[in-house]
Amino acid sequence: MVKKIFNILIFFLPVLCFGQDTIQVAKMYKTIMIFPEPVSETILGNDLSFVLEQHSKDTDYGKRILKVSYNKMGKEKNAHTNLVAITESGAFYEFILSKSDKPSKLTYNIENKNKSFSLKTESANDKKPIVIENEKHKYSNDGETGSDNINIE
């Protein structure tokens, strides 16, 4: 009985942990992600097993579309990675890509409510965008040690 409950929890764990931000991808399918505005930057965690393409930078629609799939040469049975997309306005979107034999959905319409945060905000006084800086990483060199590590700010 305990083993059955454990297996059920393991099966539903990705859904409980990642919710709607988990996107299934497969070898013979291209999963399409359509963003509310042009995507200017992408970061793919495992770029050996997963493939990411921007549809076209030549058209207004193409700048909003990302195509993701699993590499045909990939050998992992249960592969996961992260994908970050940053739009021109600074909206920051985070997703988990999960390998599947056949994705349950092939097209995702990404909405503004799905963004994690924005890299830019407007100041109430001057309406100019400002960049919000994150805290320093705990392993960054703060200049007090004599190491040769470079800390770019």
Side-chain angles (χ1 to χ4, degrees):
M1 180 66 175
V2 173
K3 189 174 181 180
K4 275 188 176 182
I5 293 172
F6 179 75
N7 288 336
I8 291 171
L9 286 175
I10 293 298
F11 180 75
F12 286 107
L13 186 62
V15 175
L16 296 173
C17 292
F18 304 121
Q20 294 179 342
D21 294 334
T22 299
I23 295 179
Q24 295 179 343
V25 297
K27 286 185 179 184
M28 301 305 291
Y29 298 88
K30 295 230 181 194
T31 301
I32 308 300
M33 301 172 70
I34 304 169
F35 289 83
E37 61 180 307
V39 175
S40 60
E41 295 289 331
T42 57
I43 301 165
L44 181 62
N46 180 350
D47 57 359
L48 296 176
S49 295
F50 291 86
V51 179
L52 171 67
E53 307 172 44
Q54 187 152 13
H55 182 66
S56 168
K57 292 196 176 227
D58 297 332
T59 67
D60 290 337
Y61 294 118
K63 295 175 188 176
R64 297 176 43 216
I65 299 172
L66 295 180
K67 299 183 279 188
V68 292
S69 61
Y70 189 74
N71 190 338
K72 292 178 185 174
M73 303 304 279
K75 305 243 187 260
E76 299 172 78
K77 291 185 181 194
N78 295 320
H80 296 83
T81 194
N82 66 309
L83 169 64
V84 173
I86 304 168
T87 61
E88 287 183 352
S89 72
F92 195 93
Y93 297 86
E94 298 175 296
F95 305 94
I96 297 294
L97 301 181
S98 176
K99 181 189 176 246
S100 156
D101 291 331
K102 183 178 179 187
S104 60
K105 187 174 179 181
L106 292 173
T107 303
Y108 290 85
N109 186 24
I110 311 300
E111 298 177 359
N112 276 328
K113 66 181 180 181
N114 296 102
K115 70 182 175 184
S116 298
F117 60 91
S118 181
L119 296 174
K120 297 178 184 178
T121 61
E122 286 186 4
S123 169
N125 296 333
D126 57 12
K127 298 289 184 191
K128 293 181 184 176
I130 57 172
V131 178
I132 299 172
E133 294 184 27
N134 291 333
E135 295 179 21
K136 274 189 168 181
H137 191 276
K138 65 180 178 179
Y139 297 115
S140 67
N141 183 5
D142 60 3
E144 295 179 12
T145 63
S147 69
D148 292 334
N149 294 338
I150 298 172
N151 185 16
I152 299 173
E153 297 198 28

